[in-house]
Every structure is written in C-alpha cells, then in structure tokens.
Amino acid sequence: MFRRLISCSASPAVRRSAVLAGAAIIGFSLSGMVRAETLTVWDDHDSESRAAVMAELNGRFKEAHPDITLDHTIRDFADLNMTLKLAVSSGDGPDVTKVNQGAGAMGLMVKEHLLVPVDDFIAEYGWDKNQSESLLARDRWSDKGEFGVGPTYGISSLAEIVGLYYNEKVLADAGVELPLKSFEDLKAAADKIKEAGKTPFMIGTAKGHLTLHMLAGITQAHIDASDRKALDDLVYGHGGTFDTPGNVESAKIVQDWAQDGYFFNGYQGISGDDAVQLFVSGEGAFLISGTWYFGDMKANPDIHFMPIPGPKGVEHPLSVGGVDLAWAITSIAKEDGTKALAGEYINYMVSEDAAVTWAKAGYLPASSVPADADIEVTPLLSEGIKIWKSLNENNAIGHYPDWASPTMLKTFDDNTPLLLAGQETPQELIDKLDADYQAYMKSK
Amino acid sequence: MSRSPLDAKVSSNLIFILPGLLIYGSLVFGPIIAALVLSLTSWNGISAPDWIGFGNYISLIADEVFFKSLKNNAILMIFYCAVPVCLGVALAALVWNLKQKEQLALRTLLFLPYIMPTAVLGIIWHWLYNPAFGPFNQALKLVGLGDYALPWLGDFTFVLPAVGIVASWYFFGFCMVLFLSGMQRIDPSLFEAAKVDGARGIRTFFFITLPLLLPEIRIALLLTIIASIKSFDLIFTMTRGGPANATLVPNIYMYQLGFQLNRYGYAAAVAIVGAILIFVVNYAVHRLVRPNHAGDAS
Amino acid sequence: MSQSSGLNTTAWPMRIILWLFALMTVIPFGLLILTSLKSRPDLLQGAFVLPEYPHFENYVSAWIDGHFNVYFQNSVFVVVPVVTISIALGTLTGFGFAFLSFPFKRTLFVMMTIGMMVPTEAFIIPLYYEMRYTGLINTYAALILPQIAMSIPFATIFMASAMRQLPQEILEAAVLDGARRSYILRRVILPLMVPAMSTLALFLFIWTWNEFLIPLILVNDDSFRTLPIGMLFFQGRYTVNTPVLTAGAVIVIAPLILAYLIFQRKFISGLTSGATK
C-alpha cells in the first residue's frame, strides 16, 4: 500500500491531482484499520528486566497462538495513567491493558463502561484459587461506584510490598546494628549514618512516586493490623479523613529528613529510577519503595529488603502494597472472539508458568510458585516471599492512599515537592489531601 | 489591483483554490472556531456540553494556577526573547567584522540548534541537567564549583531559568543569523561615511547599525515572543510543568485540564486566551517597534 | 566583495568569545554522540571520559529493541506525503491568490493568516475529537492530514508571494500564445518556481519531522509513533540506560544534521528570509 502512496508522489507528482493523492492516504489508513485477529496489549513493565520477562511471556503466548498478532506497547506508569482512559474512550486503544486500581484509573473507567468484568473468566479458569479474596477485592467496583464490592474488573500477576531496602555494607560501615526492630531503630540508624557523613536515604523525586511511598509507608507502619478499619474505609470510599495525627506526624518526619540533609544531595533533580540505580551502585543506606525493583536491586548482594518497622507496641504493622496494576479487558474487545482471546491472554499472565518466569527474574509473583519449580531464588526474593506470607497471615497489607480519589495522585505529586522544600507545612499538605478527598466524597 | 492575464471566470478559478481551502478549513480553521465555541461550554468529553457563556473565562480570572502559568510565561519571555535578541545583536556585530570563511563557520555552528526538534532538545537537556548522571554538574565539580551543582530541574528557584536557558540557547544563533542578513542589507557607504566622520566601532554600532536593524529586531521579537507563548514541547519533555507547577505555562495547563482531567471546555478557554495573547503581542510589537523611517516608506 | 573590507578585524578576545559561544552550541551534541558510544560501566567513569572502544551496539539496541526502526519509518511515511502534498496544494492555492479573482478573497486570506498565528495547542481538542469521530485516531491519516492542513497557509502565502514576483511579460506572452492556464502553470510557472519550492520543502520537512503535539495526541499506538514522540516514551522506559537513550537521540537528529550540512546555505537563508515574510 505504501509503495502506491510513495510512487504516487514520486512519479511526476504534478500530473496527478493532489486530491487523488489525498484520497490515497485516506484509503490507505482505512485499510490499515482492518486487523485480522490482533490482540492489542498495553503494560507498564518499563524497566529493562521486567520488559525482558514480558517479552519472554509474550513470545510463549504467541508460540501457543501462531495465528494471531500481538500488538504490544509498553508505557511507563505516568504515561499509562495519562493515556489509557483517553485511548479506550476514543475507541482505539488496547484490548487488554494493565490498569491502576483505585478511583483515579479503574474506578473512572468502570464508571464510563470502558472496562469489562472478568468474573466469567475467574469462574472459567479458577483464578480465585490462587489469589485471596482481599486481593481480588481491590479490583472490584460496583455499578454505584463503590470500591471493593461488585463485579471484578481485573487481576494482577505480581505481588507488591512497599518496604525498606537497606544496604548491609553501608550500615555496617556506619556501625548500625541489624536487625532494625522498630521504627525508633530506623530513625536512630538514619541519625547514625548521617553522623558518619553518609547519605541515609536514597530517593529521587523528579519522576516516580518515592515520596508517596515513603509517606504512606511510614504512616501505615504505625497502624496495627487490628486497627486497620479506618484506613480500609478511607481508601474504599466509605468516608473518613486524611487529617489524622499519624499522617501529619509522618509528613513531619519526612520533611525533617529532607530539610536536615538526610536525603541524597540532588534528590529533587533525579527520578525514582535514577535513585534505584544509584542505590544499586552503593550510594545511600536506605531506599523506601516497592518490590517491583527486586530485579534491579539483585545486582548488588549487599542490598536487602524488610518491611518498614512499626514503632514499639505495634505488633503487626501494616505494609503499603498489595498487587501490581491489574490486567483488565477493555470495552475495545467487543467481539466474543477477541474477548475470549483476551481472557486467555490474562490467564496465561497469571498462570503458574508466568509466576515461575517472574520468580526466575527475581520478582514476587502474586500467586504462589510450585515448590518443585526449578528456580534459584535470589536472597532478596526469598526475603520478599517470607514477608509476603507473613503479611497475608496477619492481614497486614495496607493500601496506596492515591487510590482514594480520582485526583489524589495529582494532589500528592503537586504538593509533596513543596513539603520537602519546606514551602508547605505538614498540616498544609494533609489539608490539601483531605480537601481533595472530601470533595470527591461529596461528588459521589 | 490590475487583473492578471491569467484570470478567468470564478467557477474555473475556484478549482485551483478549493482543494487547499477545504482541507485547511476542515482541519485547522474549523477546529479553531470549534475551540472558540467549546470555550463557552462545560464539557467532560462524553456527555453533551453545557452552554455556560463566559463562565470559563470568569473562572480563569479567579484561577491562581492559571495566573501562576501566566507569570511563569512572562519570566520565560526574558529567556525566549530578551536574552537571544540582545546576545544575537552583540554576536552579529562581532561576527560581522570577521573574514568570510570564519563568519560562515560560526553561522553554521550557532544556527544548528534551531533546526532541531525542541522536544528532543528537551530530552537531551533533561539528561544534561541530571544531578547524578548528567554532564553539567560533573563539569561544575571538575572545575571546583561543586557547591553550585544543584538539582536544576527539581529546584524551585532555578528550574524556570534552567528551562529558559535552553530556549535562549535554541534561539540566539538564529537571532544572530537573522541580524547578519539584515546587516548585509545595509548600504556599506553608510559605514564609510561614519568612518569619515570619525565614529568608532561602538558608536557606529549604536547609531547606525542598530537603528537600521530594527525591521529584523522586530521580526526576532515577534518570533521569540510568540514561541514563548506557544511553548509546550520543551517544557513538556523537561519538567511537564513541575515541580509543583513551578514551570507550568498555559499550554501545559491546557493539556492537563483537557487530556488528563477531562475539563475540555475550560481547557479550550485557556488555549484561546493563549491565542489571543499572541494576537495582542503581534499587534503591540508591530506598533511599538517601528523602523524610524517608517513614515516615508510606503 | 567582502563586506568586512575597510573595517578593522575583530580583536582576539572577541574572537575567543565568539568561538566559546560556538563551542557552547555544539558541546551538547558532542556529548550526546560521545555518550551514545559508551557502555554503562564507561558512563560511571565520568561524562567526559572517552570509552575504551566505541559501543555501536547501543545503536542496535535503540534501533531494534527501542523500536526506532518503526519510529524512523513512520517519520518518513509522514514527512514525504505531507511535504509533497502541501507543496502541490500550496502551489495551486498560491496561484489562485496570486493571479485569480474569486469572492471573499480578502476574507479567505485573513483566515489563512489566522491559521498561521494560532498555535496548534489552541485547536488540538476539537481536532482530536474530529479525528475520533471520523475513526482516524491511530492511523497515518491522523498524522498526515492535519499536518498538511497546518502547512497550507504558509505554503500558500509563500508560493503566492514568489509567483507575484514573476515578470508579468512572461505570463502575458504565454497567454497571448493561446496556452491554457493549466499548461502555463505547469510549463511556464513551475520551472521558475523550483528554487522557491525547494526552500518551502525544507521548511515543511523540518516542521513535520519535528512535530510533537499532533502525534502525541492523535495516535497512542506504538506502531504509529514518529521519532520525537517515540523518543519521549523511550525516555520513560530507558531513563537509566543513558547510552541507548542518547543513541536514540542521535538517530532522531542525524537526518537533520545531514540535511543541514548538505543544504546549509539554503537552510540559513531560507529559514531567516522565510521568517521575514
């Protein structure tokens, strides 16, 4: 088709009328739109090691389905959030996509009928056997816009824990004793490293959400699993407030660290991914973020992972986390054939085979890996698996606070740099977050 | 106007202009009108738009974020316009005295950024500025200025100048080349006369060259001011308007409002204000910066 | 005739300043190329240290894994029709505005100049929905048609002013010979318009090659992305692999630099004189 277009313009272009050439383009593009059995897939696996796993999984899915075309696009988290809804509502986007849970992405898309429930597939393939109710609840939205109940709109393939990465060697050099048993220990360790002239916290705030992880991680580590109801209610949209002493206190802690030089010098100018790379190269003692960096972190054997410790007296502190962005089927997959294929694709992505592939690369799958699987579990991953098990047993998996309202992530992004720079007080930040939340509750 | 010998009856004349006008009308002019209408509505992109008259424009007046974006744009103008134009004039005056070959070499090099996609330049500079991996801070440390190795694009005080300097870097060579071409137009006998009168380099520059360059200066001002109001690509790729709106400009705000928050009517109003600003500036520059012989020419 | 004759040559300090500015302009590109040839361990040695040997595999990574082959192809697929069709249409409309009479000529001309001044951002929302309703999102047409439309005002005004400068006698002679208008346009005017058209082509090439907003908004499928937009999303994925990222940037700007070096005089005179119109 292109040969036609090009030859048309390269041949004595003037002889043919320009209108004809224009018609050729339209004809071309329309014919380009008719796709034979193509499954369009978007995901957020933007790091090189996660992209490699996806390439492997996609390759095997294609082997099993030689007759289809897989049109696969990787987007980083920010761009996925930005474009997904727009693309699907325009009628030309992915059939299968990763989508962020919570009111900002999944909630809005369900409200606009841009996602298709996957309950039939759950029953057909038995996904619920591998994943707990409380994890699946994060993908549920009712027709009335209630979060956590109603039809299920997605399922995740990876587990996520936001926790504390620490560099054993840097800690030992500064004379910090392990293990850190309480939040007080963590603070004291940070002080000690600072005194030793080293960087306590590696962080980058220019892109990514490490500040959000740090704030939420610290707040929720102060909540015992037995007291989690207020947090659940808040995130699931039953009401509540961000204006709690715990939120203000953790904002204060983080602000103090930023102001007192506990963060990597220049943290405002580097991205979260940059910070991880620096941390792997040995800079900084701690980094607070999620298990999705396991594949990058394993390059440095000194790096370990633990939950953010709670203060003394909190027996089972919550850890922010849950599951990674959910695999979901969009309204683009209208035809039954496409929908079935989409279901099959997701089924493969949450399969045992996929879980083993993720684990081999050092990542934490949401469903358990069979004991007889032939994988060499990295030390980091075995720490992760142990924590994941105990968190599940204690019902201590917390929430991403940005799920609470459609604009919460933007409100966080707009205000946390001001907090760190000292241009906003902790109370002012919390007031902004709460104002956002209350406005959303009123609009429901 | 005298009739061209090529003119014929209207119906057959139209064949020549219709294809172009149709495609222009349907894909540019039509959407411009639609944006005007849209700016008078409240529309989330899905349900039918609500007619609210000038409601969006009234909201804009009270919108702190919008004013912040205008203020940022005003500051950016220093870097988009004042710096490149002043630098361009000064460099042109210096280059003018060089031999042809050297002049050509400098013109070629200094003009280079102007042909590049600003989006990609933004990405390149984003990397240059990276405090951990970027060459800029490494260079500062190498020459002993490590204390000044700041997180440029994350620093509330410096982020706007840091973005602005890229725009200056992009435009100054273009301005210089533009002024050089203007100087070529100037009658060499004027310089000779000045020399006979004993005027020295700097005086010649201020009293002869500069006034005669006014047409080019006007063009440079127009182009750079309009570019600053249009600025989107560079800021989008460098900071996306952050941190905390420190580099937000109206076009980025329009993008966020429309394509991220689905407030299309309000976003259209922001965009229309930007377009109106361009017309105002265009008119103002045409009125204010007039060649001093404007009276006798045409 | 050398224009500098008679004036004293610039003193050394001045020349050093000038060359410093030239250096400042070029250094970012130099660093870009240098970094694109490094390995990641090389990079940690410092930005200004030469690699042991050039790592051209970064270009392979960018080209294949980074999909720059797709982006490059798309950029070419978009630039070629936009430039040729815009010139063709601009020539026709320019001919109309230069020589022919039709109703509302003045109004239509004003409409054209408005289109030249209004930024794309001002009408991107309606344009996006127009493309959506016509089902053109994620097609080459969504990239090509609006950019042709955006090029028409400039192409028209540029061609019209070039044609008005043609000597009237030639046209009159042709008319007296009894030639038809289409014949005169094709055989008499066009050959004389080649320099103007090539300058115009240069403009349109740069604008289209560098366009950012149209592909950002009107396509979301990776397989339709053009170079600048592909670069943006590539940055999101490869922020930590700087050598491959910089190799990608070199792939985007290399054709521009190449064209610039070949047509350098035309670029400079065209872009500056075009600006004065």
Side-chain angles (χ1 to χ4, degrees):
Chain A
M1 201 55 210
F2 255 110
R3 223 166 282 146
R4 201 176 118 206
L5 184 62
I6 287 171
S7 71
C8 163
S9 48
S11 69
V14 213
R15 208 180 294 163
R16 299 192 192 185
S17 91
V19 182
L20 250 178
I25 304 170
I26 297 174
F28 160 73
S29 57
L30 288 179
S31 68
M33 280 172 58
V34 183
R35 294 174 188 160
E37 268 303 58
T38 300
L39 191 69
T40 309
V41 177
W42 287 11
D43 73 44
D44 62 327
H45 293 300
D46 59 339
S47 86
E48 272 181 300
S49 64
R50 283 186 289 136
V53 174
M54 278 312 293
E56 196 181 333
L57 295 178
N58 281 331
R60 270 191 250 136
F61 185 75
K62 255 189 287 191
E63 254 168 52
H65 299 82
D67 48 328
I68 63 142
T69 327
L70 206 59
D71 183 358
H72 173 230
T73 302
I74 303 172
R75 290 173 175 273
D76 69 48
F77 179 77
D79 291 319
L80 184 71
N81 271 338
M82 189 170 82
T83 44
L84 178 63
K85 192 159 81 72
L86 201 62
V88 177
S89 64
S90 80
D92 201 352
D95 301 304
V96 175
T97 183
K98 293 290 283 297
V99 56
N100 196 17
Q101 293 90 342
M106 195 186 268
L108 280 180
M109 289 186 75
V110 169
K111 196 169 148 198
E112 290 169 18
H113 307 287
L114 300 176
L115 295 179
V116 178
V118 294
D119 294 288
D120 292 348
F121 292 116
I122 294 181
E124 184 182 343
Y125 293 112
W127 294 341
D128 47 348
K129 288 191 195 87
N130 284 324
Q131 291 197 17
S132 71
E133 263 302 293
S134 83
L135 291 186
L136 285 175
R138 293 163 195 241
D139 297 316
R140 289 193 182 129
W141 282 89
S142 79
D143 298 341
K144 281 180 250 154
E146 297 155 307
F147 187 12
V149 290
T152 319
Y153 286 92
I155 184 163
S156 303
S157 45
L158 290 176
E160 281 183 2
I161 313 162
V162 171
L164 182 70
Y165 288 97
Y166 59 95
N167 187 321
E168 212 170 42
K169 188 164 169 296
V170 176
L171 290 179
D173 289 349
V176 173
E177 274 179 43
L178 287 169
L180 303 174
K181 287 195 184 112
S182 65
F183 192 74
E184 290 82 0
D185 284 357
L186 171 61
K187 277 181 93 173
D191 294 340
K192 212 161 182 180
I193 294 152
K194 174 76 182 149
E195 275 160 33
K198 293 276 164 53
T199 304
F201 291 97
M202 176 51 67
I203 183 170
T205 60
K207 198 175 171 212
H209 300 95
L210 293 197
T211 322
L212 171 68
H213 299 149
M214 186 182 262
L215 279 169
I218 293 174
T219 308
Q220 295 182 25
H222 285 70
I223 301 174
D224 192 277
S226 56
D227 296 329
R228 63 175 299 155
K229 189 168 180 310
L231 178 69
D232 286 335
D233 285 348
L234 185 81
V235 171
Y236 283 127
H238 302 305
T241 174
F242 273 80
D243 192 3
T244 61
N247 271 334
V248 179
E249 180 57 26
S250 60
K252 174 99 180 60
I253 293 169
V254 172
Q255 187 179 48
D256 287 347
W257 279 342
Q259 298 275 298
D260 297 343
Y262 280 57
F263 288 0
F264 172 70
N265 185 15
Y267 70 90
Q268 307 97 321
I270 60 171
S271 70
D273 291 347
D274 289 341
V276 168
Q277 204 195 3
L278 287 165
F279 191 66
V280 170
S281 74
E283 288 247 22
F286 299 113
L287 184 146
I288 293 179
S289 190
T291 46
W292 55 90
Y293 284 126
F294 271 8
D296 305 273
M297 295 285 191
K298 72 178 181 192
N300 184 341
D302 295 328
I303 295 177
H304 296 272
F305 185 74
M306 64 179 278
I308 300 173
K312 288 186 183 108
V314 172
E315 196 182 354
H316 296 300
L318 298 184
S319 281
V320 175
V323 279
D324 77 328
L325 272 59
W327 286 108
I329 303 175
T330 72
S331 57
I332 307 268
K334 274 194 202 84
E335 283 158 42
D336 288 347
T338 321
K339 219 187 273 180
L341 187 63
E344 232 174 298
Y345 182 83
I346 295 180
N347 184 46
Y348 183 65
M349 288 302 142
V350 298
S351 68
E352 216 167 67
D353 195 33
V356 170
T357 313
W358 280 113
K360 268 186 188 160
Y363 290 99
L364 187 61
S367 47
S368 51
V369 177
D372 57 346
D374 175 30
I375 39 175
E376 204 178 311
V377 177
T378 63
L380 207 53
L381 178 58
S382 69
E383 284 161 6
I385 292 174
K386 217 185 294 168
I387 298 167
W388 180 244
K389 276 190 184 143
S390 99
L391 288 177
N392 271 305
E393 276 162 22
N394 298 322
N395 188 23
I397 300 168
H399 291 285
Y400 292 100
D402 54 287
W403 291 4
S405 93
T407 46
M408 193 58 80
L409 191 61
K410 188 169 176 355
T411 305
F412 262 102
D413 287 347
D414 286 352
N415 288 287
T416 48
L418 294 169
L419 175 83
L420 299 187
Q423 299 193 3
E424 207 168 81
T425 65
Q427 188 63 51
E428 279 167 348
L429 169 80
I430 301 302
D431 288 347
K432 291 246 172 83
L433 299 180
D434 200 48
D436 179 308
Y437 183 71
Q438 304 307 344
Y440 169 62
M441 292 304 289
K442 217 185 270 169
S443 74
K444 281 215 297 181
Chain B
M1 207 161 76
S2 68
R3 227 181 96 116
S4 162
L6 291 165
D7 205 357
K9 46 178 211 293
V10 167
S11 56
S12 62
N13 284 350
L14 285 178
I15 295 170
F16 286 91
I17 58 161
L18 272 185
L21 284 182
L22 277 180
I23 187 165
Y24 169 73
S26 61
L27 292 168
V28 174
F29 200 74
I32 292 177
I33 302 300
L36 267 171
V37 176
L38 188 60
S39 76
L40 303 174
T41 69
S42 167
W43 191 40
N44 63 8
I46 295 162
S47 42
D50 292 326
W51 186 265
I52 54 166
F54 286 94
N56 286 325
Y57 293 95
I58 292 165
S59 310
L60 272 182
I61 294 171
D63 185 343
E64 274 176 45
V65 180
F66 180 63
F67 273 93
K68 168 123 199 177
S69 74
L70 286 180
K71 197 183 124 201
N72 288 341
N73 216 324
I75 296 172
L76 279 178
M77 272 187 200
I78 299 171
F79 294 94
Y80 270 80
C81 320
V83 174
V85 169
C86 295
L87 209 56
V89 168
L91 293 180
L94 293 179
V95 168
W96 182 245
N97 293 328
L98 294 175
K99 295 216 179 65
Q100 283 285 10
K101 263 197 178 156
E102 199 174 353
Q103 204 181 102
L104 185 71
L106 281 167
R107 271 200 328 185
T108 309
L109 290 179
L110 293 176
F111 195 76
L112 188 63
Y114 191 70
I115 60 162
M116 300 289 172
T118 40
V120 174
L121 293 181
I123 293 170
I124 294 172
W125 278 84
H126 180 267
W127 161 67
L128 292 174
Y129 276 135
N130 185 309
F133 306 105
F136 191 62
N137 280 5
Q138 287 185 28
L140 286 177
K141 283 172 191 155
L142 277 180
V143 298
L145 292 172
D147 290 350
Y148 297 95
L150 297 169
W152 301 102
L153 297 183
D155 188 295
F156 285 97
T157 318
F158 290 104
V159 63
L160 208 51
V163 172
I165 280 182
V166 182
S168 304
W169 174 82
Y170 177 75
F171 276 117
F172 83 88
F174 167 77
C175 289
M176 184 198 81
V177 171
L178 186 66
F179 299 144
L180 276 177
S181 75
M183 287 162 83
Q184 260 154 5
R185 200 199 52 207
I186 298 172
D187 187 351
S189 62
L190 278 172
F191 293 116
E192 293 298 328
K195 229 178 135 192
V196 172
D197 288 348
R200 300 198 42 203
I202 293 180
R203 284 178 57 98
T204 323
F205 174 73
F206 275 105
F207 291 103
I208 299 179
T209 318
L210 210 52
L212 288 173
L213 270 184
L214 270 183
E216 276 77 18
I217 292 177
R218 187 175 75 176
I219 291 154
L221 278 178
L222 260 182
L223 277 174
T224 52
I225 294 178
I226 291 178
S228 79
I229 299 173
K230 281 185 175 183
S231 59
F232 178 84
D233 308 5
L234 194 66
I235 295 167
F236 189 85
T237 48
M238 286 182 83
T239 63
R240 302 229 167 156
N245 294 338
T247 52
L248 191 78
V249 290
N251 274 337
I252 301 268
Y253 192 40
M254 178 283 297
Y255 178 85
Q256 291 180 349
L257 286 169
F259 295 103
Q260 284 179 270
L261 301 173
N262 302 324
R263 296 174 63 191
Y264 289 102
Y266 196 55
V270 171
I272 294 294
V273 172
I276 290 172
L277 272 179
I278 288 181
F279 284 100
V280 170
V281 164
N282 206 334
Y283 180 77
V285 172
H286 272 291
R287 287 304 300 260
L288 294 176
V289 188
R290 318 184 86 167
N292 48 7
H293 57 283
D296 33 355
S298 70
Chain C
M1 183 192 79
S2 160
Q3 341 114 319
S4 59
S5 66
L7 294 166
N8 37 344
T9 42
T10 309
W12 272 104
M14 297 301 172
R15 287 176 78 177
I16 290 172
I17 292 178
L18 280 174
W19 282 99
L20 276 180
F21 273 103
L23 208 62
M24 219 173 70
T25 316
V26 189
I27 277 181
F29 300 112
L31 280 172
L32 194 70
I33 293 169
L34 177 67
T35 309
S36 72
L37 296 172
K38 288 182 175 181
S39 68
R40 283 163 87 177
D42 287 340
L43 203 62
L44 295 175
Q45 307 298 312
F48 307 99
V49 182
L50 290 177
E52 262 176 55
Y53 60 92
H55 291 261
F56 290 106
E57 66 269 22
N58 292 329
Y59 285 85
V60 180
S61 302
W63 188 254
I64 310 281
D65 307 334
H67 299 180
F68 273 74
N69 52 355
V70 178
Y71 307 147
F72 196 93
Q73 201 180 335
N74 288 340
S75 276
V76 174
F77 283 0
V78 170
V79 162
V80 171
V82 168
V83 172
T84 50
I85 296 173
S86 303
I87 291 180
L89 290 177
T91 307
L92 285 174
T93 358
F95 180 77
F97 276 100
F99 301 124
L100 310 182
S101 58
F102 44 86
F104 304 114
K105 191 169 174 177
R106 209 149 249 274
T107 318
L108 289 170
F109 190 79
V110 170
M111 266 173 61
M112 287 270 182
T113 46
I114 287 176
M116 267 173 71
M117 283 210 285
V118 171
T120 318
E121 284 82 0
F123 59 90
I124 190 70
I125 292 172
L127 184 62
Y128 168 76
Y129 277 92
E130 190 177 353
M131 290 289 138
R132 234 172 104 158
Y133 293 140
T134 47
L136 293 180
I137 296 284
N138 279 342
T139 61
Y140 285 107
L143 298 173
I144 295 170
L145 295 176
Q147 295 201 73
I148 293 175
M150 284 153 61
S151 308
I152 282 175
F154 183 78
T156 301
I157 291 168
F158 190 89
M159 292 308 289
S161 78
M163 285 188 209
R164 276 203 206 96
Q165 283 161 18
L166 286 174
Q168 191 84 351
E169 307 84 63
I170 298 183
L171 303 177
E172 274 165 10
V175 174
L176 285 178
D177 280 352
R180 295 178 38 163
R181 282 197 300 183
S182 56
Y183 181 87
I184 297 176
L185 176 60
R186 223 163 53 216
R187 289 292 155 87
V188 180
I189 298 181
L190 274 186
L192 295 170
M193 284 293 108
V194 170
M197 284 164 84
S198 62
T199 306
L200 180 60
L202 215 54
F203 271 103
L204 298 178
F205 165 67
I206 296 189
W207 288 340
T208 314
W209 191 265
N210 294 353
E211 177 60 39
F212 181 72
L213 190 71
I214 292 285
L216 177 72
I217 305 285
L218 300 185
V219 301
N220 56 52
D221 186 331
D222 196 52
S223 52
F224 288 100
R225 285 181 186 150
T226 54
L227 281 168
I229 215 74
M231 179 87 210
L232 173 78
F233 286 95
F234 183 76
Q235 180 205 22
R237 281 181 286 148
Y238 280 80
T239 40
V240 293
N241 196 341
T242 311
V244 176
L245 180 75
T246 47
V250 173
I251 293 175
V252 185
I253 64 174
L256 290 164
I257 294 188
L258 203 69
Y260 179 63
L261 291 179
I262 298 172
F263 303 109
Q264 186 238 107
R265 275 167 192 274
K266 194 156 195 84
F267 257 90
I268 294 184
S269 65
L271 284 180
T272 46
S273 71
T276 45
K277 290 225 166 86

